Amino acid sequence: MSSRTSGCLEEEDGEEEEEEENYNPTEVKMSQIVMPCHNNHRQELSVGQLLKWIDSTACLSAERHAGSPCVTASMDDIHFEHTISVGQVVNIRAKVNRAFNTSMEVGIQVNCEDLFSDRHWRVCHAYATFVTQRTSTGQKVTLKPIVPHTQKEQVEYSVAAERRRVRMVHDDIIKDLLSNESVQQVDSSVGPNAVAAERTRVESVELVLPPHANHQVNTFGGQIMAWMVNVATIAASRLSQAHPTLRAIDMFTFRGPSQVGDRLLLKAIVNNAFRNSMEVGVRAEAYHEEGPNRHINSAFMTFEVLDDGGKPRTLPRLRPEPLEGRRRFQEATARKKIRLDRKYIISRTQGEVPLSVPWDPTNQVYLSYNNVSALKMLAARSNWRLSCEKDQVQLYTLEQKSMLSFKIECEVDVPAHRAFDLLAELSNRPSWDSHYKKCELIQLVDDDDFIYRVVTPSVRHGAMGSPTAANQAEGMLQDFILLASKRKPCGSGDPYVIALRSVSLPTHPPTDSYNRGEVLCAGFTILETKDNMSLISYFNQASPEVLPYISTDIAGLSSSFYHSFCSCSQYLTRNRL
């Protein structure tokens, strides 16, 4: 059992104490000590049992907010970071992050506690979507909104809208990727020692009894997930001839309910075996004594086989079945690429060079999500410090470890929706922002995402570390390749968002004529205030290429931020109608 460093443990404990002081009415906690009856064949807590506890805790949280019975609609990707042993305690915390019209997102944190060493570590976190059961007249229940109180709750509330957007296009991502010839042409031919996929096939029937039902007499979603994990583990074991470890479950959706008396037919097969991991596909169907089978759920699970040192072993190759087997083989390859894209984008740290993530159509959705959520999280920070102010234009700074961010804010007499439309047209920015010499649209991704090439003046430092006009003239121009993602409010109180971050495009590589710059996280939030006015906030995590433009303002040596925002305000006012 591995755990985090003591420094991380202390940090987590501090966060827990802070959260306990701020009572959240939707929060539900569950603590379970792991007994031998909860174990799998590796003498570790069965993931199926853990999923039961997770689903139960999340459902109670959703029902506490809704005030009526709720059911699990979907579960986002779950990555299991550590295993749990007998005698250790599982602590699960769930609370509603945001309620939409008839659905709500519940965030779940799972930590493990060793009672003898007083160590704590994170096992996994997950996001589940719940809906209320329809009324007796068949109508959906409209949910009351969530009011976030802490900074962390505000971040989760804001980013929940972007996660919902990703869920809605999840299935389309696979279809789009499979239309890419490079994925379709993956070679599925293997050597003579490959294991036939048919050998890994598993079918099992479970009779739904009253103990398997929830308090609404429907089959408990956590129980269905546990049965699916069981057959998936058998399929993975048949390929590896060893005890596999479940590492991840992809996002899945419950397609329909099941009741007591149903027979659940569970099917599993290994779709593809990579070097150190394999994907197992699982399908759950329900049927009664008469009538056709009803598709309840499908899931894709990633397994590894660990050696004595805890490292993933090399797995046998898989020989797919003709037709349907080859289709599953190709789709598993596409899903692996999506997992790698997500991990690659999310794992980029600000200290890495280059900071730009390569953009291509297959990772478009996740880059856009990363772009918007990063800006929302930066905007939700509560420890901004006012550095200077002039004529109600404020400059704020935020220091986080070695990273300096700044925010410029003022109120303008322009409706929020109009300010959003004007500022989202990045091509017009050179007309009011002296830092933009040129801005050209190089790719229209979709209605909400665009890629621009921006050219800015060069900034050279003088003797006192401030830019001078002479040095600017002598220096080389900078250019940036920026992904611009715009979002309208998802609900009342939400701001309009225009998020910017650097990406790299093979069609626009760095050249000797320009110094290629990087934008970590930048953009505007536009919040409607009173009397058709708007609060405009501009954010930027200052990269080395951006910091010289603002450093003299932060130091109080100039007020160029004020002049830039005055130009922005005048531009918005001129085009108000």
Side-chain angles (χ1 to χ4, degrees):
M1 172 69 65
S2 58
S3 64
R4 299 179 298 162
T5 63
S6 58
C8 294
L9 297 175
E10 292 172 1
E11 182 179 348
E12 180 178 278
D13 292 341
E15 292 176 356
E16 289 180 355
E17 291 174 3
E18 180 183 349
E19 288 185 6
E20 287 174 357
E21 295 175 1
N22 298 282
Y23 171 72
N24 186 312
T26 72
E27 185 172 81
V28 173
K29 298 178 182 177
M30 176 186 287
S31 293
Q32 297 280 356
I33 190 165
V34 180
M35 305 297 288
C37 60
H38 301 140
N39 273 9
N40 60 17
H41 45 270
R42 292 179 58 89
Q43 302 305 307
E44 298 163 349
L45 173 64
S46 164
V47 173
Q49 179 62 60
L50 179 59
L51 290 172
K52 289 183 188 180
W53 291 339
I54 288 174
D55 191 50
S56 176
T57 311
C59 183
L60 292 174
S61 174
E63 291 183 343
R64 179 173 286 186
H65 176 70
S68 60
C70 296
V71 293
T72 314
S74 68
M75 187 79 74
D76 287 4
D77 300 356
I78 307 177
H79 298 272
F80 301 99
E81 301 174 20
H82 300 289
T83 55
I84 305 170
S85 301
V86 171
Q88 293 174 334
V89 174
V90 179
N91 296 310
I92 305 173
R93 176 184 294 178
K95 59 183 176 182
V96 179
N97 291 331
R98 182 161 186 162
F100 300 97
N101 190 26
T102 58
S103 67
M104 67 198 104
E105 179 192 275
V106 179
I108 308 119
Q109 290 281 351
V110 181
N111 294 312
C112 186
E113 174 186 356
D114 190 302
L115 295 172
F116 300 103
S117 64
D118 196 29
R119 290 187 301 118
H120 300 254
W121 59 91
R122 189 173 76 170
V123 175
C124 67
H125 73 274
Y127 298 101
T129 301
F130 282 81
V131 295
T132 58
Q133 283 198 322
R134 293 177 183 265
T135 63
S136 57
T137 59
Q139 294 180 328
K140 292 184 177 181
V141 177
T142 302
L143 298 167
K144 60 185 178 183
I146 286 286
V147 179
H149 297 288
T150 67
Q151 175 184 308
K152 187 173 182 181
E153 288 175 358
Q154 180 59 51
V155 170
E156 292 289 2
Y157 176 89
S158 185
V159 179
E162 199 62 20
R163 284 191 290 264
R164 183 172 183 248
R165 180 187 178 94
V166 172
R167 290 181 199 113
M168 295 173 71
V169 299
H170 178 69
D171 292 338
D172 295 332
I173 297 172
I174 294 289
K175 296 175 183 176
D176 293 343
L177 186 56
L178 287 171
S179 65
N180 187 318
E181 293 182 359
S182 63
V183 175
Q184 287 185 333
Q185 293 175 0
V186 172
D187 184 16
S188 59
S189 61
V190 291
N193 297 326
V195 177
E198 180 63 29
R199 180 178 167 186
T200 70
R201 185 183 297 277
V202 181
E203 285 196 10
S204 179
V205 176
E206 299 283 354
L207 175 61
V208 181
L209 300 173
H212 303 140
N214 57 22
H215 49 294
Q216 304 149 37
V217 202
N218 289 327
T219 311
F220 182 40
Q223 180 63 69
I224 296 175
M225 289 188 279
W227 282 333
M228 294 174 75
V229 169
N230 176 58
V231 292
T233 303
I234 296 172
S237 300
R238 286 180 175 173
L239 175 76
S240 60
Q241 295 185 328
H243 295 316
T245 297
L246 179 57
R247 283 303 189 200
I249 303 176
D250 285 5
M251 182 188 301
F252 60 86
T253 301
F254 284 97
R255 300 170 181 266
S258 167
Q259 292 83 29
V260 172
D262 277 346
R263 282 72 168 168
L264 245 62
L265 176 62
L266 302 139
K267 303 177 182 179
I269 191 170
V270 177
N271 291 331
N272 202 335
F274 308 102
R275 179 175 176 82
N276 300 117
S277 65
M278 69 185 101
E279 181 194 277
V280 180
V282 192
R283 179 183 175 96
E285 299 175 353
Y287 64 94
H288 217 62
E289 295 177 356
E290 295 180 357
N293 289 10
R294 309 187 312 274
H295 185 191
I296 299 297
N297 194 2
S298 290
F300 301 100
M301 306 182 186
T302 302
F303 287 85
E304 293 177 347
V305 176
L306 306 180
D307 60 20
D308 294 337
K311 301 295 182 182
R313 281 172 32 186
T314 301
L315 297 174
R317 295 294 302 276
L318 183 80
R319 184 168 62 253
E321 302 168 283
L323 301 178
E324 280 298 297
R326 291 186 180 276
R327 178 189 61 80
R328 290 193 298 267
F329 188 94
Q330 305 292 352
E331 290 180 356
T333 305
R335 279 187 292 270
K336 183 183 181 185
K337 184 190 184 307
I338 288 174
R339 292 183 203 112
L340 291 173
D341 283 342
R342 282 199 298 249
K343 183 178 180 181
Y344 177 70
I345 293 168
I346 293 172
S347 66
R348 301 294 287 196
T349 60
Q350 294 171 341
E352 292 178 341
V353 178
L355 296 164
S356 298
V357 175
W359 182 92
D360 67 63
T362 63
N363 67 8
Q364 162 201 334
V365 172
Y366 303 109
L367 263 177
S368 178
Y369 164 79
N370 178 276
N371 191 19
V372 175
S373 61
L375 180 62
K376 286 185 172 183
M377 287 189 283
L378 181 62
R381 300 287 298 187
S382 60
N383 48 344
W384 290 96
R385 188 175 65 181
L386 181 63
S387 291
C388 50
E389 180 177 4
K390 184 175 181 180
D391 295 341
Q392 297 184 342
V393 178
Q394 297 97 21
L395 171 63
Y396 296 85
T397 57
L398 172 66
E399 294 187 45
Q400 299 170 276
K401 297 181 180 179
S402 60
M403 180 60 60
L404 176 66
S405 303
F406 64 87
K407 173 176 71 169
I408 306 172
E409 193 168 77
C410 77
E411 197 170 23
V412 297
D413 187 14
V414 178
H417 67 89
R418 183 60 181 155
F420 171 71
D421 291 338
L422 291 169
L423 292 176
E425 281 292 336
L426 215 60
S427 300
N428 294 335
R429 189 161 167 177
S431 67
W432 61 266
D433 189 348
S434 61
H435 298 124
Y436 272 50
K437 290 184 69 70
K438 183 180 179 182
C439 181
E440 57 177 328
L441 177 66
I442 56 179
Q443 188 155 344
L444 174 61
V445 179
D446 54 34
D447 292 340
D448 296 320
D449 298 278
F450 313 83
I451 299 179
Y452 292 90
R453 178 175 176 266
V454 176
V455 177
T456 67
S458 172
V459 175
R460 295 288 183 87
H461 292 287
M464 298 300 294
S466 62
T468 64
N471 284 330
Q472 286 186 33
E474 295 173 1
M476 183 185 297
L477 295 176
Q478 292 190 113
D479 71 342
F480 300 79
I481 306 298
L482 298 182
L483 171 65
S485 303
K486 64 177 186 177
R487 299 288 187 270
K488 294 181 179 180
C490 189
S492 61
D494 278 358
Y496 291 85
V497 174
I498 304 166
L500 305 171
R501 65 155 298 158
S502 285
V503 295
S504 59
L505 281 177
T507 55
H508 290 75
T511 64
D512 294 337
S513 303
Y514 295 89
N515 177 34
R516 176 59 53 87
E518 304 277 354
V519 171
L520 308 176
C521 171
F524 294 91
T525 63
I526 305 160
L527 188 63
E528 186 173 348
T529 55
K530 58 183 179 180
D531 300 328
N532 260 348
M533 297 185 70
S534 304
L535 181 66
I536 310 289
S537 303
Y538 175 74
F539 299 87
N540 201 312
Q541 282 186 327
S543 63
E545 294 84 5
V546 174
L547 186 59
Y549 291 107
I550 198 71
S551 58
T552 53
D553 291 327
I554 295 173
L557 301 176
S558 72
S559 56
S560 64
F561 78 94
Y562 169 74
H563 298 297
S564 294
F565 243 63
C566 283
S567 297
C568 177
S569 179
Q570 293 168 7
Y571 163 73
L572 295 175
T573 304
R574 283 196 311 268
N575 297 279
R576 189 178 191 276
L577 301 179

